[in-house]
Amino acid sequence: MDARIGIRNTKSILFKSFIIFLAFVVTLPLIIVLLYIIKQGVMQVNWHFLTHVPAPEGEKGGGIANALVGSLLIVGMSSLVAIPVGILAGIYLSENPGTKLAYYSGLCVDILQGVPSIVMGIVVYFWIVKPFGFSAISGSIALAIMMLPIVIRSTEQTLLLLPPSLKEAALSLGVPYHRVILKVIVPCGFAGILSGIILSIARIIGETAPLLFTALGSNYLSTNVTGAMESLPHLIFTYATSPYDDQHDLAWGASFILLMFVLILNIVTKLITRKWKIQL
Amino acid sequence: MENTVVSATNFNAWFGDNHVVKDVTINIEKNQCVAVMGPSGCGKTTFLRCINRMHELIPGATAKGSMKLYSDEIYTMNPIYVRYKIGMVFQRPNPFPNLSIYDNVIAGYKLNGLKVPKADLDNIVQKSLTSAALWNEVKDSLHKKGTFLSGGQQQRLCIARAIAMEPEVILFDEPTSALDPISTSSVEQLFHELKEKYTLIIVTHNMQQAARVSDKTAFFYVGELVEFDDTKQMFTAPSDVRTQNYITGRFS
Amino acid sequence: MDKNKRLDLSYSQMKWETIFKRILSVMSAIIVIVVAGVLITLVVESWPSIKSLGIGYLWGKVWDPVNNIYGAYPFLIGTLLTSFTALIISIPFSYAIAIYLGEYNPKGWLSDLLKNTIELIAAVPSIIYGFWALFVLVPVVRSLETKIHVAPYGVGVFTASLVLAVMIIPYAAALGTSLIRMVPSPLKEGAYALGATRFEVIRSVILPYTRSGLFAGILLSLGRALGETMAVTVLIGNTSAIANTFKDIFFGPGNTMASVIANEFAEADHALYLSALIELGLVLFFVTVIINLIGKRIITRYTNN
């Protein structure tokens, strides 16, 4: 009897060790990737790197200013579209649960969340690029559509958690509906909505596939949003697969910058959610 | 009847198919404190929420019949204007967590975008907080968040917020049910002072409270207004057997 | 404040109320319109291919744009092989994380640290994984391939699957963690009271109780794997021909639906070619959407119970 208990206990302990081993071993690839990117990338980054466009093929030097400016512009424009639409749609979903529109809209948010980014790229190609040509705007539209589900869901979840008494208090003071929402409900859920927005930006800033056939890429520093534009992930893709070592170096530097953006955005989200104790 | 402030005539309210307020007729006079009581689910809160048209905000909720503020039909008035004129205090204190104490008091002005000079606002804040017996406790921390106050203080802040709009009537929906005994008595104390300026309608499930604070009491039972009379009369010699059963604790 | 001023204001506010409510509905409707637009665009643009190639397109074994022959079979195989290999590799790890964070160590700094680190795995852009793997993992795989006597391409289905496996772990792990935390403690305590060890409680109480939820997590991971584009495009070697033996298919270069679109969309120079590529996108859209919706449905059913 004692022996059997002993065996069972040993089994239990072995299993636990095995689980712990597997769980922590997963962090290894991430750590290896991060360290490698940092090691390869940090040497590339200097003022020159940030302020110059890539040198012609086969030449040393140059930088990623075009991709940096492009990424910021493209992501900025995406946010301009996706944040208001996402917040308002999220408000609708939290305010009108049970309506037909809310049902279909919620379903479509779930669908959008699952659409592969490459598919979004080809669809926006037909919507905007085919009639108007390659442009930063078309890339922004594709990315904005990818942001929407995250902004909508985080807004909806945040607002659903607010006590209904808050809305009643404002309504009982004769405050009209739109002011109740915009001046009471949204400010009270501000932290949750904000962290959703930051998370969605972190998610799209590294997206490459939707930009392949939309913003395309360009070797020049451009702020013309109706023309083709370079972006960090797209630059990494083109230079990673090129045969020139100098271009690989640019890609490592760009990867480092992109990684830093993503890390910082994620940490900011974590800090916000921790400070205001939000569950996303 | 020129003293009548709120009057309902054959008033009905529904949640979907559920008939919760049945054919209620009642006249409430100026500067009185009226308690509305009855067992839970009797329609008293719904009736209260019909007076300032909060009932209709719930999906599927409907109302029919005449409800007047003085001589104006409430249900043809602009609901926003109705709520300016008829303030409300809720079961649980619900100050706006994103606003300071000061801003909470003038929330009705601020959130409505009404432009009022700063000096007037200061005046309104002091007057309202004084009327709500809260001024002395918070005058040094007006710019702290309202949610830092104790439950009883928060509820008085909510009363101040309602007073600030200078309403004719203030509705109270079980205003002390979430408060401790000491806070409860401080709020009850207030009722006596408030009714000098306003008409108060208080929903309560606490009979002692109704007896303590009200001039008149309305007894609701399964959606009907069973009896409406002077509180003293009602508690000593109720005319309806259902009222009597309720008061003597045969059911709750 | 006089009465009339307030009255006027309240009427203008009423107008804004209606406008605002309408704006909310319109914004919500936009989402439906976008999704409908995506679907319609994919169907319309792939129509020439659907019409002229028929259903046989899906199992046509040859993809030869030069001679105008289009068969999706190589990409279906490539997609399924990479995704399921990645899934099989990832499952033990996702489950281990879910069990560790859900049952062994649900609170505390170590648990938080691991949880945040796992979430970070999903945050790193896929192109960065691809780039890293191309320079670090591919040489390693190449030397491994030499040892086991297969053609040492380095890039290929196997390499892509390895990277993909890491990338999809967080999805199943996060869902699994929250579901295991939701297991009612009376259930567990009941088993402990009967003298069960922790392992036995996990095996016979927690895992059976969370089975459908964990399955949903796997579906979400699978949905990610099927649609993942950039890392795979960089690593899979981009060959549309199918090798003869499974070993060569598995270790050799291939293509997935997503990677062939990424590679060939820009150079598709005639209508049928382009249309055939978009039909791949349509298939990918349907498959990922269905998998995701089933996963979501299971989760909602599970969390509502």
Side-chain angles (χ1 to χ4, degrees), chain C residues 9-270:
Chain C
L9 191 77
S10 56
Y11 276 105
S12 79
Q13 301 281 36
M14 288 283 283
K15 206 174 67 200
W16 276 106
E17 250 186 41
T18 326
I19 294 173
F20 182 73
K21 281 184 179 160
R22 197 154 301 158
I23 292 175
L24 289 187
S25 318
V26 169
M27 290 303 161
S28 194
I30 282 181
I31 313 303
V32 182
I33 294 167
V34 165
V35 170
V38 169
L39 184 61
I40 291 168
T41 310
L42 289 173
V43 171
V44 167
E45 296 296 337
S46 58
W47 193 246
S49 154
I50 297 172
K51 212 170 61 182
S52 66
L53 301 174
I55 190 82
Y57 167 77
L58 290 179
W59 45 83
K61 286 203 167 59
V62 181
W63 178 268
D64 184 0
V66 179
N67 294 310
N68 232 359
I69 305 170
Y70 304 99
Y73 183 73
F75 314 128
L76 292 181
I77 289 299
T79 305
L80 293 178
L81 201 55
T82 45
S83 299
F84 278 96
T85 311
L87 201 61
I88 289 166
I89 299 174
S90 76
I91 286 175
F93 295 101
S94 319
Y95 273 34
I97 294 165
I99 292 171
Y100 179 75
L101 292 178
E103 171 64 19
Y104 283 125
N105 191 3
K107 276 192 207 113
W109 67 270
L110 187 61
S111 164
D112 280 352
L113 184 70
L114 183 64
K115 191 162 171 279
N116 291 338
T117 314
I118 301 298
E119 278 172 20
L120 215 52
I121 294 178
V124 173
S126 92
I127 183 65
I128 290 187
Y129 282 115
F131 186 26
W132 170 83
L134 192 59
F135 281 75
V136 180
L137 190 62
V138 165
V140 176
V141 172
R142 198 176 287 143
S143 63
L144 181 90
E145 284 171 336
T146 325
K147 269 185 199 138
I148 59 167
H149 304 294
V150 291
Y153 287 104
V155 293
V157 170
F158 175 65
T159 318
S161 306
L162 280 183
V163 176
L164 210 45
V166 175
M167 293 174 65
I168 61 176
I169 285 174
Y171 298 94
L175 187 65
T177 305
S178 49
L179 292 181
I180 288 180
R181 284 182 187 174
M182 278 163 54
V183 175
S185 47
L187 270 183
K188 292 187 272 182
E189 281 160 9
Y192 282 125
L194 291 174
T197 62
R198 198 139 199 203
F199 166 62
E200 286 155 354
V201 170
I202 290 171
R203 193 190 54 189
S204 49
V205 178
I206 294 178
L207 290 183
Y209 188 84
T210 51
R211 198 174 49 211
S212 64
L214 292 174
F215 177 69
I218 292 174
L219 284 183
L220 291 189
S221 280
L222 178 63
R224 281 290 140 181
L226 291 170
E228 177 47 50
T229 314
M230 295 322 291
V232 175
T233 306
V234 171
L235 295 173
I236 200 157
N238 305 311
T239 305
S240 303
I242 307 187
N244 291 321
T245 67
F246 179 77
K247 207 167 152 189
D248 288 338
I249 295 177
F250 190 66
F251 287 101
N255 241 337
T256 66
M257 292 192 273
S259 74
V260 78
I261 298 173
N263 273 311
E264 301 187 12
F265 188 82
E267 60 199 43
D269 46 8
H270 47 278

Side-chain angles (χ1 to χ4, degrees), chain A residues 95-97 162-180 182-188, chain B residues 49 52 54 57 79-80 83-84 86-88 90 92-98 104 107-108 110-113 161-162 165:
Chain A
E95 285 289 308
N96 304 278
L162 295 178
S165 64
L166 219 57
K167 209 169 113 194
E168 299 223 301
L171 286 169
S172 77
L173 291 168
V175 180
Y177 184 73
H178 61 283
R179 285 179 170 274
V180 174
L182 297 178
K183 302 245 161 166
V184 178
I185 301 296
V186 170
C188 288
Chain B
R49 291 168 61 92
N52 69 342
M54 292 288 282
L57 296 172
I80 290 172
R83 292 177 207 137
Y84 283 163
I86 306 176
M88 189 164 193
F90 297 84
R92 295 188 162 278
N94 52 2
F96 300 112
N98 57 326
N104 257 294
K110 212 175 143 79
L111 297 176
N112 274 307
R161 181 173 70 187
M165 296 303 286

Side-chain angles (χ1 to χ4, degrees), chain A residues 21 31 98 115 150 165 186 195 202 211 217 272:
Chain A
F21 170 74
I31 293 168
V115 175
I150 308 175
S165 64
V186 170
S195 57
L211 299 177
I272 294 174

Side-chain angles (χ1 to χ4, degrees), chain B:
Chain B
M1 279 288 199
E2 60 260 33
N3 249 343
T4 302
V5 181
V6 173
S7 58
T9 318
N10 300 111
F11 195 84
N12 292 277
W14 292 265
F15 283 119
D17 296 329
N18 196 3
H19 199 173
V20 282
V21 173
K22 296 173 188 162
D23 238 12
V24 169
T25 300
I26 191 170
N27 291 310
I28 292 166
E29 282 164 39
K30 203 169 168 58
N31 297 93
Q32 278 203 322
C33 180
V34 175
V36 180
M37 61 173 201
S40 52
C42 67
K44 57 189 193 295
T45 294
T46 305
F47 177 71
L48 190 79
R49 291 168 61 92
C50 285
I51 300 176
N52 69 342
R53 299 187 60 173
M54 292 288 282
H55 173 67
E56 69 199 48
L57 296 172
I58 299 162
T62 47
K64 218 172 141 187
S66 164
M67 178 79 82
K68 282 182 174 169
L69 176 65
Y70 295 110
S71 56
D72 298 326
E73 185 58 58
I74 285 176
Y75 277 75
T76 58
M77 276 161 84
N78 181 320
I80 290 172
Y81 188 67
V82 170
R83 292 177 207 137
Y84 283 163
K85 291 275 124 193
I86 306 176
M88 189 164 193
V89 175
F90 297 84
Q91 213 170 43
R92 295 188 162 278
N94 52 2
F96 300 112
N98 57 326
L99 300 182
S100 65
I101 293 172
Y102 184 97
D103 285 338
N104 257 294
V105 177
I106 52 158
Y109 295 89
K110 212 175 143 79
L111 297 176
N112 274 307
L114 295 169
K115 296 266 177 299
V116 181
K118 175 89 171 81
D120 290 359
L121 285 181
D122 288 345
N123 207 359
I124 292 170
V125 168
Q126 183 172 359
K127 232 173 63 190
S128 311
L129 284 173
T130 310
S131 306
L134 193 61
W135 175 251
N136 286 329
E137 289 161 60
V138 302
K139 65 181 173 201
D140 298 322
S141 48
L142 287 177
H143 295 284
K144 276 196 189 151
K145 291 265 183 289
T147 39
F148 284 119
L149 299 173
S150 72
Q153 288 174 321
Q154 286 192 19
Q155 194 61 305
R156 277 178 282 150
L157 178 59
C158 293
I159 294 172
R161 181 173 70 187
I163 295 171
M165 296 303 286
E166 296 165 26
E168 299 286 337
V169 183
I170 307 178
L171 311 174
F172 294 85
D173 182 11
E174 303 193 15
T176 59
S177 66
L179 302 182
D180 59 90
I182 295 171
S183 307
T184 299
S185 83
S186 74
V187 170
E188 282 182 9
Q189 209 85 71
L190 258 181
F191 292 145
H192 292 291
E193 292 151 29
L194 288 177
K195 73 177 180 193
E196 318 228 315
K197 282 180 75 182
Y198 312 98
T199 306
L200 312 180
I201 306 175
I202 301 164
V203 163
T204 177
H205 59 238
N206 180 335
M207 270 181 281
Q208 286 75 28
Q209 182 169 63
R212 277 195 301 267
V213 301
S214 67
D215 304 311
K216 282 186 135 188
T217 297
F219 175 65
F220 273 69
Y221 187 65
V222 271
E224 285 173 54
L225 174 61
V226 173
E227 200 170 338
F228 179 50
D229 211 337
D230 284 344
T231 300
K232 267 202 191 104
Q233 177 70 23
M234 179 97 106
F235 276 92
T236 48
S239 57
D240 194 290
V241 63
R242 287 170 295 183
T243 319
Q244 194 175 358
N245 283 345
Y246 182 70
I247 289 169
T248 52
R250 300 270 169 79
F251 55 81
S252 59

